[in-house]
Amino acid sequence: MAETVDDKVSYFQAVTGITDPDLCTEILAAHNWDLQVAVSSITANPSSPSASTSTSLREPAASAPLADAEFVAPPMAPPPPPQQYQPQQQQQPGIAWKLVTLPFYVVSGGVGLIAGSVRLGAWVAGGVLSRSLSLLGLAAQGGGSDRLLALPPSAAEAADFVAEFEREFGTGRGPRFVAEGFTDALQRAQREYKLLFVYLHSPDHPDTPAFCGGCLCAEPVAAFIDENFVAWGGSIRRTEGFKMSNSLNASRFPFCAVVMASTNQRIVLLQQVEGPKTPEEMITILQRVVEECATSLVAARIEAEERLNNQRLREEQDAAYRAALEADQARERERMEEQQRLEREAAEAERKRKEEEEALARAAQEAAEKEAALARRRQEKAMALGAEPEKGPDVTRVLIRFPTGERKERRFHSSCTVTSLYDYVDSLDCLKAERYSLVSNFPRVAYGPEKHSLTLAEAGLHPQASLFIEIEQ
């Protein structure tokens, strides 16, 4: 940055385009000779990048920080002194400018707040209208960008610069400036193994229209820049453009520079192009820079390709190793699954064998218990019957035929109940069924539970009876 008063005034003139040195001196003095704050008060109005100098005075802003990346500038000759320009027709500043400065600073915050509110309301209204039209099917389909999705500030500034440049000098003319921030453009150049061409646009500088229209928009220059560089442009009236002008020590406009990425987030300033240039001069300068840096760019490309090949080889080796490992693991899993299946089948067979043995044991035990119960029952029934009576008038002779064809005969007192007949059958080892009925043939009479309490005489079985056993299902 310039140190003397004259240097500060000259730099302030070059950046802002104000040709009256007295006016520049008064503006700098009003800002305590802080060059950056004074320039910010003139240029830092993102909402109106094309406003005239007489209407762009604002409240002094805080000092703008330098660009995120540090610059390493190679030894270069000191820049030529700022070119002096003939003052344009403009009224000399006087006490009126000093008088309006303080009130304007006081009200600038309120004006900015009101303007911000108006812009916010317009943005919300536009979003609601766009959403309503889209719901009604009236919104445009296709590649239109959604303005509700705000771009990053640096990218928005770059996009606005590209739009303004094309609007002023013609669409499709000039270099293809990337619509992204400086850091992103630098990374793009590094990925494409190209240098970064930087153009800082000073809208109010008298040489800017001729330089842009006659040099940058010249077809040979634009084609050479597009082929060999990534082009980035920014207006010094915007935040990032102003920071880059400070970082690159831009002292004369039009201003161009060629930079490349270095290590540790630093960049190298390879060439500065200050002041008006013819297309031939611009191509000569850029051609020399490209030739000087061609070796390093080719080496960087080869190194990157080798690194990419090595990385690809490692990835292929890793993929082959992973495939072999997965195959081994799959075989091991299959072996383990087969072993587990065999173990499960063996365990299942052993379980079934034990269950069958247990079932057989239970069945044998149940059969034994049942047989023992039947034996006890037969014994109890035989004991309940008592001794068989001798023949007599009060004695009934009963013949019982079993389903097996076997016959049993016994005498009972006529006063015995029908239950005694069932007890007699149960005391014999001729019938395994538990549910049965005693039935007479002619006439057929079943002596079921309802007749168990009748005596043999009451049941019509005295003096003799022939019964057969009918098994109940």
Side-chain angles (χ1 to χ4, degrees), residues 229-244:
F229 301 89
V230 172
W232 179 85
S235 173
I236 62 172
R237 287 194 169 190
R238 296 299 184 94
T239 302
E240 192 164 32
F242 180 67
K243 290 196 299 183
M244 294 309 302

Side-chain angles (χ1 to χ4, degrees), residues 7 23 27 46 66 92 96 100 121 128 140 184-185 250 261 280 290 297 299 308 365 377 396 406 433 453 473:
D7 290 339
L23 178 58
I27 295 176
L66 296 178
Q92 295 296 325
V100 302
V128 173
D184 295 333
E280 292 77 13
V290 170
L297 291 177
L308 182 61
Q365 182 179 359
R377 180 183 178 189
T396 303
E406 187 177 1
S453 59
Q473 301 297 329

